[in-house]
Amino acid sequence: MDCMGCMPRRAWKLPLLAEAREVAALRRILRLHLERWGLQELSETAQLCVSELVANVINHVGPGTPITLTVSMSGTRLRMEVHDPDPRALPTLTDVDADAESGRGMALIEAITDRWGVDLAPGRKVTWCELRTGLKAADGHTAGLRVDRAANVLGFYVDVAKLPPGTKRGRLGTAVAEEAAINVIADLLHWLGAHGRDPDEVLERAQTHFLADVEVR
């Protein structure tokens, strides 16, 4: 695979207390990370999963329990884990209305995820779930006409063969591609200026198109 388009998605973790007031901030942080990972289309479902995993700890272990959220890639799946210190309070499936404001628990996780489970260890447990992505590789990007066209354009600006040999090019390739993208944008702005157009106005319109596409996803 050409790693010029690769996107390294390194696992990250966040320690916190299992409190209802923490959930909104936790969802915002997760949304920002998924945007950086190019997985915006999973944002709403992933936020819901994390909310339910934390609520499960609050309801069955207790408010204020120290927990750790870990988000990573499991192959091409997005994996979310909540670690807590009580291996005895196991999550259970309950038959409740999916529209209920509470009590949905792991039944909702079962319904919206690709798979989920619980891993036990001395003095702790990990409740996890995974969401399927459209990725062909963990460091790839989801297919899309705009992304493919951009990759083709960047190919004119970067000679992949000139990257340092013998290196794994995921992170390096992305950094080089980012610099190439900046050069592409700068050249287009020069072209617009040379043809009497206002670059700032065009950038604003392009940003509007980009945000509209993100919302559609």
Side-chain angles (χ1 to χ4, degrees):
M1 181 181 65
D2 180 3
C3 284
M4 183 54 63
C6 290
M7 178 181 295
R9 298 178 175 92
R10 294 189 174 182
W12 60 274
K13 62 182 180 179
L14 179 67
L16 68 152
L17 298 179
E19 298 280 4
R21 64 174 180 270
E22 299 287 348
V23 173
L26 191 59
R27 289 171 64 106
R28 287 195 297 271
I29 293 171
L30 178 61
R31 184 178 68 249
L32 291 173
H33 274 277
L34 293 184
E35 288 175 357
R36 292 180 60 187
W37 283 7
L39 298 175
Q40 298 94 326
E41 70 276 9
L42 297 180
S43 182
E44 289 299 323
T45 303
Q47 290 177 63
L48 184 56
C49 289
V50 167
S51 296
E52 292 299 331
L53 291 177
V54 174
N56 181 72
V57 176
I58 294 173
N59 293 333
H60 299 290
V61 182
T65 299
I67 62 175
T68 300
L69 169 68
T70 300
V71 180
S72 62
M73 296 300 298
S74 176
T76 58
R77 293 183 175 92
L78 175 68
R79 182 181 178 95
M80 291 157 287
E81 303 174 353
V82 169
H83 301 236
D84 74 70
D86 191 344
R88 299 167 300 172
L90 298 178
T92 58
L93 291 174
T94 56
D95 186 11
V96 296
D97 187 342
D99 294 327
E101 290 298 322
S102 61
R104 296 173 297 182
M106 303 309 294
L108 183 57
I109 295 293
E110 170 79 10
I112 66 177
T113 64
D114 188 46
R115 58 188 184 184
W116 71 277
V118 181
D119 296 334
L120 300 178
R124 67 183 180 90
K125 73 172 178 289
V126 179
T127 307
W128 58 268
C129 63
E130 294 180 356
L131 297 175
R132 191 183 303 275
T133 72
L135 301 173
K136 295 181 179 179
D139 58 355
H141 57 71
T142 54
L145 178 60
R146 290 185 183 274
V147 173
D148 290 340
R149 288 192 307 208
N152 289 334
V153 171
L154 292 178
F156 290 105
Y157 279 72
V158 178
D159 186 351
V160 178
K162 291 183 179 179
L163 293 177
T167 61
K168 292 183 178 180
R169 298 176 182 173
R171 184 175 182 181
L172 176 61
T174 302
V176 173
E178 179 179 331
E179 187 63 30
I182 293 172
N183 289 331
V184 170
I185 294 170
D187 286 353
L188 290 174
L189 294 179
H190 281 296
W191 184 90
L192 289 166
H195 287 78
R197 309 302 296 178
D198 182 353
D200 289 335
E201 178 185 348
V202 175
L203 278 176
E204 184 175 343
R205 289 168 56 192
Q207 180 75 359
T208 300
H209 281 264
F210 170 74
L211 294 176
D213 287 343
V214 170
E215 290 176 1
V216 169
R217 294 175 196 167

